[in-house]
Amino acid sequence: MSDASGASAEVELVQLLTPEGERVEHPQYSFDGDDEQIKGWYRDMVLTRRIDAEATALQRQGELGLWASCLGQEAAQVGSGRALYPQDFVFPTYREHGVAWCRGVDPIHLLAFYRGVNLGGWDSQAHRFHLYTIVIGAQTLHATGYAMGVERDGLVGTGDPDRDVAVIGYFGDGATSQGDVNESFIFASSYNAPIVFFCQNNQWAISEPIERQSRIPLYRRASGFGFPGVRVDGNDVLAVYAATTAALDRARTGSGPSFIEAYTYRMGAHTTSDDPTKYRLADELEHWRLKDPIERVRAYLTRSGSGEEEFFAGVEAEAADYAAELRARCLALPEPQMHNLFDEVYAEQTPYLAEQQARYDDYVGTFEEAQA
């Protein structure tokens, strides 16, 4: 039995903030922060959406080769990203722009990646945020292996909140059909790895609806592998934060893996090479537009009196200025030079690569001589 959104009628979402902006209680999860914290998340989401929109525009104008939008998924990303401790480690897909923002990754690196300037120019260790993974589901194996290593390094269950580490691996609903993801579930469960599997169920694996991918809600798959799963309202930043906090705490204390299904919706195309009008109906999009993650926080802050129009206008102005600056920085990115690629394969260049680089330089030099 499903409702108009495709959600199974008997499945209860963990929700702490309704689409109308009303706070509600849940018997297992709660949010104990204040409105200032929520205002900070509102800013995170607005800036993430504005960066996303600017990147989409840049791609349409031929300045990026591709862009994978996170429109509509801001609460799932910001709520989970802000639940992380500094020492936790993130393994993203290619769409976690909001999580990258929360981890302090300069968005120019994301644009440079999609512009083809580099393979991801941020320091993954400094930000505890791995490079984007294009191969669907592959990052879950990387995350599980890293989590297994963390446990063997004695960084789990020590009781020291500044020492214990959790790992979080992001993926979409389509990736749950990949062997890599299911293999990572097996290893994580067998070795009690300190990992949170965070699935953003945005309803569409490119053009394939969730109903054709799974006979049961995705979070229930976790029980078959021997660890808990929960479905949260992925458009509710408070619920996502609460559920992710609990799962990360469980991982850090040595209680093993968890699965979070953030039930959300991809408001835009899968990537800028996709046309969603060919496979989904406009009324479905309108149904989910009423559940917009940013608008429900704005409604709450307005209702509670914590958010005045001056605050909202200030955030919008900041986002517009940031986007304009980001556009200028993107257009000013230098073109990659083939000579430098040989220096960036390993931390220390090997003699074999140095020889290749020298031969390449000699080859390029022949053209310069011919033009002289």
Side-chain angles (χ1 to χ4, degrees):
M1 186 73 182
S2 300
D3 62 19
S5 69
S8 180
E10 71 273 11
V11 176
E12 178 186 358
L13 291 171
V14 176
Q15 187 179 84
L16 301 177
L17 187 65
T18 71
E20 295 74 31
E22 295 182 10
R23 293 284 295 271
V24 292
E25 299 295 326
H26 189 274
Q28 186 176 352
Y29 298 96
S30 63
F31 172 70
D32 300 323
D34 57 22
D35 284 359
E36 286 303 310
Q37 191 172 7
I38 297 175
K39 289 169 73 174
W41 295 344
Y42 176 85
R43 173 182 175 272
D44 289 334
M45 291 192 292
V46 170
L47 281 162
T48 296
R49 181 169 292 187
R50 189 64 183 83
I51 291 166
D52 186 65
E54 194 65 34
T56 298
L58 284 164
Q59 193 282 331
R60 296 306 190 201
Q61 294 160 12
E63 299 297 342
L64 301 182
L66 189 74
W67 182 253
S69 174
C70 65
L71 180 64
Q73 299 177 219
E74 295 88 358
Q77 297 194 8
V78 170
S80 59
R82 289 305 182 192
L84 294 160
Y85 284 3
Q87 70 270 22
D88 294 336
F89 209 100
V90 179
F91 286 83
T93 67
Y94 44 77
R95 198 188 301 276
E96 271 67 65
H97 317 316
V99 185
W101 171 266
C102 293
R103 297 306 274 178
V105 175
D106 189 333
I108 194 63
H109 291 308
L110 310 181
L111 270 60
F113 173 76
Y114 280 106
R115 189 174 170 87
V117 171
N118 57 41
L119 300 179
W122 63 89
D123 187 333
S124 59
Q125 284 296 326
H127 295 285
R128 311 292 287 173
F129 185 85
H130 201 262
L131 301 180
Y132 273 5
T133 301
I134 299 297
V135 179
I136 305 299
Q139 71 281 356
T140 58
L141 287 174
H142 308 157
T144 300
Y146 191 94
M148 291 166 62
V150 164
E151 192 274 332
R152 282 158 176 73
D153 287 342
L155 299 176
V156 178
T158 70
D160 183 350
D162 296 324
R163 176 180 171 82
D164 289 338
V165 174
V167 177
I168 187 168
Y170 288 88
F171 53 98
D173 49 293
T176 62
S177 298
Q178 293 287 339
D180 285 2
V181 174
N182 290 273
E183 290 166 12
S184 69
F185 289 171
I186 293 171
F187 272 85
S189 180
S190 299
Y191 291 92
N192 205 46
I195 182 171
V196 176
F197 294 106
F198 194 95
C199 174
Q200 292 174 84
N201 180 358
N202 64 23
Q203 312 298 308
W204 291 94
I206 307 184
S207 58
E208 198 73 5
I210 185 62
E211 291 83 1
R212 292 184 184 173
Q213 300 177 61
S214 182
R215 297 281 183 167
I216 62 172
L218 295 178
Y219 79 94
R220 290 184 181 170
R221 291 187 178 185
S223 63
F225 294 93
F227 53 88
V230 63
R231 176 185 275 189
V232 302
D233 184 342
N235 286 14
D236 176 357
V237 69
L238 274 63
V240 172
Y241 176 83
T244 309
T245 296
L248 290 170
D249 287 345
R250 184 175 187 274
R252 293 191 204 99
T253 58
S255 297
S258 303
F259 182 103
I260 296 175
E261 178 190 356
Y263 197 78
T264 181
Y265 192 78
R266 193 191 76 213
M267 296 297 291
H270 174 70
T271 69
T272 47
S273 64
D274 171 44
D275 179 6
T277 63
K278 293 183 179 297
Y279 55 80
R280 68 185 188 191
L281 300 176
D283 60 347
E284 180 181 302
L285 190 65
E286 290 305 312
H287 172 84
W288 279 92
R289 200 182 303 278
L290 298 175
K291 300 181 179 183
D292 186 276
I294 295 178
E295 289 304 315
R296 75 170 66 184
V297 175
R298 180 172 182 143
Y300 165 73
L301 292 173
T302 301
R303 183 190 301 270
S304 68
S306 299
E308 299 178 351
E309 191 56 41
E310 183 180 359
F311 164 74
F312 297 122
V315 172
E316 291 294 337
E318 179 187 5
D321 290 344
Y322 193 93
E325 179 188 358
L326 185 63
R327 165 178 283 270
R329 293 169 64 199
C330 177
L331 299 179
L333 285 169
E335 293 297 318
Q337 300 299 315
M338 182 70 78
H339 171 89
N340 298 330
L341 296 182
F342 298 92
D343 296 325
E344 298 173 358
V345 179
Y346 299 108
E348 296 182 7
Q349 192 185 54
T350 66
Y352 179 64
L353 283 172
E355 181 184 349
Q356 286 189 36
Q357 187 179 48
R359 289 204 304 267
Y360 171 76
D361 290 343
D362 289 342
Y363 172 72
V364 172
T366 62
F367 291 93
E368 296 174 350
E369 293 172 0
Q371 294 174 356

